Amino acid sequence: MPKVTINGMEIEVEPGTSILQAAEQLGIEVPRFCYHDKLSVPANCRMCLVQVEGGPPKPVASCAMACGDGMIVRTDTDVVKKARKGVMEMLLINHPLDCPVCDQGGECDLQDQAMAYGFDRSRFHENKRAVEDKDLGPLISTVMTRCINCTRCVRFAEEIAGTPVLGQLNRGEDAEIGTFVGELVKTELSGNLVDVCPVGALTSKPYAFAARPWELKKTESIDVHDAVGSNIRIDSRGREVMRILPRLNEDVNEEWISDKTRYACDGLRYKRLDRPYIRCESSNRLLAASWPEAFAHIRERLEGLQGENIAALAGDLSDVESMTALKDLMRRLGSANLDCRTDNADFDVSSRAGYLFNSTISGIDQADLIILIGVNPRYEATMVNARIRRAWLERRVKVVMIGQGADLTYPYDHYGTGTKDITQFAEEFAGKLPAKKPMMIVGAGVFRRDDGMALHGALYEAAEKLGIVTKEWNGFNVLHSAASRVGALDIGFVPQKDALDFRSIIAGTKDGSIKALYLLGSDEFNARVNIGWKTFVIYQGHHGDQAAQRANVILPGAAYTEKDGIFVNTEGRPQLARKAVSPPGEAREDWKIIRALSDELGEPLPYNTLAQLRERIRGEWPLFRSIDEITPAKWTRFGGKGKVHAETLESYGSSFYLSNPICRASKTMNECVEAFTNEERYSEAAE
């Protein structure tokens, strides 16, 4: 491996490592604008100039020159400093003096580097040029006069997002970034364009003029809008969440997040439940009540009921602590009628390997063949889709699709659409897949059918025939779309022997056998239509969404930004979401509500603090003892027997932008639906 000396410090690096990367390993700062470690190298800003002894007689771009053995590099010579000042002077020729009103102020690379490496005056007195702003949709605000043509946005849209709508137009002084035919940037990753832009040319439209970075409290947390568990930073002021930004985690989301993760946070302000409500029997209206009144009403209605007449359902945004507390309460009430699969899915939960993303998300980087079955990762798990695209783009990994066709930002071989095609594919390639580490990714939506259990068994047989699982590699993966799903399955929030599952519970509310139903944030189905009116319904959640409309009693809970909680992502990785702001009004953290209710019902739960509750969780389920670590699941048989219907494998059917109560309450997400489904009308209105 080549050895290079930078500023008198020697380092041995991998072949192909650039001088800039080697300097970073030594802790030496080299300024840059166009270079980004996740994007291709254009070397067009020339800010990262360094001097190589015995090399070219002029400074060289360190981002584009690979280290050579014995190379001696200086990053702080007078020649380098003069060159950087010249480059900065050139970049600022046409840059407007917008710093006092620019949303990027305080976190702008150009601002910081002009101070550190620039010159204190300019020799240019000509008028600054102006560039027309572009309409990129409801999420990205543009001031293109500020653009320095670093092309980061162009490369991100093409390489990471897979939607190459941006490009550099014209030449020389007229060069500018824009869309070729005036179309919107229709990608689920568009918000990352704001992050990669080193100046204020691209900024967040919903966040415009809302706050300065030094005003905000920054809290590291976890996203719950899908099952990827993207690492995020919540920026808040007072009790209001101002914005969501990505946090680096190479094993999960790298340094990107989806637009839903980033922009749906304004939904936390609207349609919130901030006090308990009780439905008046005479008027059938929900009336505000106090906590003691709500608890007393629940106690009166549950009094005398047998455990078999009580059931509980956990929704997609529930944390492990609240589900554990609810499970413990139901057990004390004598009920085992529990389920977290409120999307009507039916699959075998006895084997953990049967419902995990066993290869792990970072394992996509090792896969040499990817088989997608009934899944649309672009909408169900945007960050997983970005990983698959990178595998195709950098290593030309072949992708095979069985199920409904979709635009996945990369090409794939469409083998078939129905369940019979799974069996046919397995028989055709049994033991002879052209891959050493193949991956099978199954969408959780395929189990939302009457033969879900049998289909799960058929998928196990197909994985065995194809050799998806070996001693060194487990390529069987289920891609969930609900943040709470894997955690709920891990703690057994499912019906035990002879207990009722989701379908049976809903049927029981209509025939009267289920007399009381506890909904913990269960908004994934239309409760007002599906739940019979003979059943007493307790809804605990944070938004007045679908289930709240059916409730007899509403208990206001906390959203994911308002509580500390554990969420387990689709690969089985427990992660901590942290409280950034306080819940509104009289709303409380979910586990505290259940603990207080247990006292009212005369069945007090044996913990009073979050630490005690987590100790109880770690005691029964050891996998929660290691936060941010994956406990591999043993490969055992799963699924059921029976006939699998020859039907099309449908992926998760929910709208990407309106998939949960927070998104449905978000004005920004509703604007996205309007803009991207009615693009022509949106463009006319913008003009």
Side-chain angles (χ1 to χ4, degrees):
M1 294 193 294
K3 290 183 179 180
V4 59
T5 303
I6 305 177
N7 293 353
M9 293 183 285
E10 188 177 78
I11 185 174
E12 188 173 10
V13 296
E14 295 286 338
T17 301
S18 68
I19 296 174
L20 189 152
Q21 292 170 324
E24 280 188 336
Q25 293 178 31
L26 288 170
I28 299 171
E29 182 181 13
V30 177
R32 83 296 297 269
F33 289 115
C34 67
Y35 174 81
H36 192 285
D37 58 355
K38 298 293 183 184
L39 304 175
S40 58
V41 179
N44 58 12
C45 78
R46 320 307 288 182
M47 193 64 196
C48 65
L49 296 174
V50 297
Q51 198 164 10
V52 179
E53 294 185 12
K58 58 183 180 180
V60 299
S62 61
C63 67
M65 176 166 282
C67 294
D69 194 32
M71 182 181 284
I72 300 175
V73 180
R74 301 292 302 181
T75 69
D76 54 1
T77 64
D78 291 338
V79 172
V80 170
K81 291 178 180 178
K82 183 179 179 181
R84 288 175 181 169
K85 287 180 179 179
V87 170
M88 182 62 69
E89 189 178 1
M90 184 74 69
L91 289 174
L92 295 176
I93 289 174
N94 290 307
H95 198 79
L97 303 177
D98 283 347
C99 292
V101 296
C102 176
D103 268 338
Q104 201 82 320
E107 48 191 6
C108 172
D109 291 348
L110 183 64
Q111 200 175 58
D112 295 340
Q113 293 185 38
M115 177 67 68
Y117 303 101
F119 196 48
D120 61 355
R121 69 203 68 180
S122 173
R123 291 169 289 175
F124 294 87
H125 303 287
E126 290 79 9
N127 292 329
K128 293 177 182 286
R129 73 163 188 166
V131 180
E132 183 181 355
D133 294 341
K134 309 298 188 295
D135 178 19
L136 301 184
L139 302 178
I140 309 296
S141 179
T142 61
V143 184
M144 300 310 295
T145 301
R146 300 171 185 163
C147 178
I148 62 172
N149 291 321
C150 70
T151 69
R152 277 190 185 182
C153 58
V154 176
R155 286 174 284 137
F156 176 86
E158 182 173 349
E159 298 168 14
I160 307 296
T163 52
V165 296
L166 290 172
Q168 190 164 34
L169 315 174
N170 307 321
R171 301 177 67 184
E173 186 182 354
D174 296 325
E176 62 179 272
I177 301 295
T179 54
F180 295 111
V181 289
E183 61 181 311
L184 305 181
V185 179
K186 292 190 294 185
T187 169
E188 301 72 38
L189 293 165
S190 64
N192 296 289
L193 295 173
V194 175
D195 292 340
V196 300
C197 182
V199 298
L202 304 178
T203 55
S204 170
K205 190 174 285 187
Y207 178 70
F209 310 115
R212 287 297 194 185
W214 55 83
E215 302 174 335
L216 305 175
K217 184 182 79 170
K218 300 168 178 62
T219 307
E220 295 185 350
S221 191
I222 300 298
D223 172 55
V224 300
H225 291 288
D226 56 31
V228 173
S230 297
N231 287 221
I232 59 173
R233 193 187 83 194
I234 303 170
D235 286 0
S236 58
R237 185 173 60 189
R239 64 156 305 276
E240 184 176 0
V241 174
M242 303 302 295
R243 64 177 179 179
I244 303 287
L245 295 177
R247 187 160 53 92
L248 179 65
N249 189 325
E250 294 288 359
D251 292 332
V252 182
N253 58 300
E254 298 178 280
E255 57 188 279
W256 320 117
I257 53 174
S258 72
D259 288 349
K260 183 165 57 174
T261 299
R262 185 186 299 265
Y263 290 113
C265 60
D266 67 322
L268 296 167
R269 306 172 198 164
Y270 308 114
K271 299 182 181 179
R272 291 302 303 272
L273 298 172
D274 59 358
R275 67 190 68 183
Y277 289 89
I278 298 175
R279 186 177 296 278
C280 176
E281 294 183 5
S282 58
S283 64
N284 200 33
R285 295 178 60 188
L286 288 166
L287 304 178
S290 66
W291 280 104
E293 289 172 342
F295 283 169
H297 187 66
I298 294 172
R299 175 174 49 77
E300 291 172 6
R301 295 299 300 266
L302 294 186
E303 201 165 15
L305 292 184
Q306 300 297 317
E308 61 191 31
N309 301 129
I310 305 173
L313 299 173
D316 287 356
L317 307 182
S318 302
D319 56 278
V320 170
E321 291 90 341
S322 62
M323 291 187 291
T324 301
L326 182 55
K327 180 184 178 184
D328 289 347
L329 178 60
M330 289 296 112
R331 182 184 298 163
R332 287 174 176 260
L333 295 176
S335 175
N337 301 325
L338 311 170
D339 212 340
C340 61
R341 296 165 294 179
T342 54
D343 56 357
N344 211 32
D346 184 24
F347 53 89
D348 187 5
V349 299
S350 62
S351 171
R352 192 165 186 258
Y355 61 79
L356 285 187
F357 201 94
N358 294 285
S359 303
T360 73
I361 295 172
S362 61
I364 296 172
D365 299 338
Q366 305 174 40
D368 46 10
L369 172 67
I370 299 174
I371 306 165
L372 303 177
I373 298 180
V375 65
N376 185 340
R378 180 173 179 180
Y379 297 120
E380 295 178 44
T382 305
M383 303 320 306
V384 170
N385 194 67
R387 288 258 191 181
I388 298 175
R389 172 174 170 76
R390 188 175 71 183
W392 168 80
L393 187 67
E394 296 182 355
R395 299 185 288 116
R396 284 298 185 261
V397 172
K398 184 177 181 180
V399 181
V400 177
M401 165 72 84
I402 301 177
Q404 289 179 320
D407 179 10
L408 300 180
T409 71
Y410 44 82
Y412 56 85
D413 293 342
H414 200 176
Y415 191 85
T417 60
T419 54
K420 66 180 188 304
D421 296 303
I422 299 174
T423 304
Q424 184 175 327
F425 184 86
E427 292 176 352
E428 183 176 344
F429 293 97
K432 51 183 179 181
L433 277 179
K436 294 182 179 179
K437 291 187 175 181
M439 287 183 70
M440 176 188 290
I441 302 179
V442 182
V446 304
F447 301 117
R448 296 182 300 161
R449 34 194 287 160
D450 294 337
D451 61 344
M453 192 70 73
L455 176 58
H456 204 195
L459 289 168
Y460 171 84
E461 297 293 345
E464 286 286 290
K465 285 183 180 179
L466 292 170
I468 296 290
V469 180
T470 63
K471 289 183 179 180
E472 297 80 22
W473 176 256
N474 188 337
F476 182 84
N477 305 285
V478 175
L479 184 59
H480 293 279
S481 54
S484 67
R485 188 61 50 84
V486 174
L489 296 174
D490 282 344
I491 66 170
F493 202 96
V494 288
Q496 305 305 317
K497 185 178 180 181
D498 299 327
L500 303 180
D501 61 5
F502 172 72
R503 301 180 190 188
S504 301
I505 290 171
I506 295 301
T509 65
K510 295 180 177 179
D511 63 24
S513 59
I514 295 297
K515 302 186 183 303
L517 177 60
Y518 202 118
L519 300 178
L520 180 61
S522 300
D523 288 294
E524 296 72 50
F525 64 101
N526 194 331
R528 188 170 58 85
V529 173
N530 289 284
I531 297 177
W533 285 92
K534 297 178 181 179
T535 301
F536 175 68
V537 177
I538 306 163
Y539 173 71
Q540 179 178 325
H542 41 76
H543 277 76
D545 204 65
Q546 296 174 155
Q549 298 174 25
R550 170 60 187 84
N552 296 95
V553 175
I554 292 177
L555 306 177
Y560 73 106
T561 57
E562 301 158 0
K563 60 184 176 182
D564 294 313
I566 298 173
F567 291 88
V568 185
N569 75 348
T570 191
E571 56 184 350
R573 181 192 303 271
Q575 300 185 102
L576 290 177
R578 292 185 172 87
K579 181 177 180 178
V581 296
S582 300
E586 298 179 40
R588 297 292 183 267
E589 294 183 35
D590 291 301
W591 78 268
K592 291 183 179 180
I593 296 173
I594 298 168
R595 173 63 182 86
L597 179 59
S598 71
D599 276 343
E600 182 72 25
L601 298 177
E603 297 289 349
L605 298 176
Y607 32 79
N608 296 311
T609 66
L610 184 61
Q612 291 174 348
L613 174 54
R614 286 181 173 170
E615 189 60 35
R616 177 261 182 277
I617 293 171
R618 289 192 289 265
E620 185 168 348
W621 302 289
L623 64 96
F624 291 100
R625 294 173 186 170
S626 302
I627 296 297
D628 201 32
E629 293 183 12
I630 299 173
T631 303
K634 185 179 180 181
W635 181 252
T636 56
R637 176 174 290 277
F638 53 80
K641 301 291 184 179
K643 184 178 180 182
V644 177
H645 305 315
E647 299 173 357
T648 299
L649 292 163
E650 298 183 1
S651 57
Y652 190 68
S654 176
S655 167
F656 172 76
Y657 294 106
L658 303 176
S659 60
N660 60 53
I662 300 174
C663 294
R664 288 190 285 271
S666 166
K667 291 184 177 180
T668 304
M669 292 295 97
N670 281 278
E671 287 175 4
C672 288
V673 173
E674 179 70 17
F676 299 139
T677 57
N678 303 285
E679 181 177 345
E680 185 176 342
R681 185 168 61 179
Y682 179 88
S683 299
E684 291 174 357
E687 293 171 3

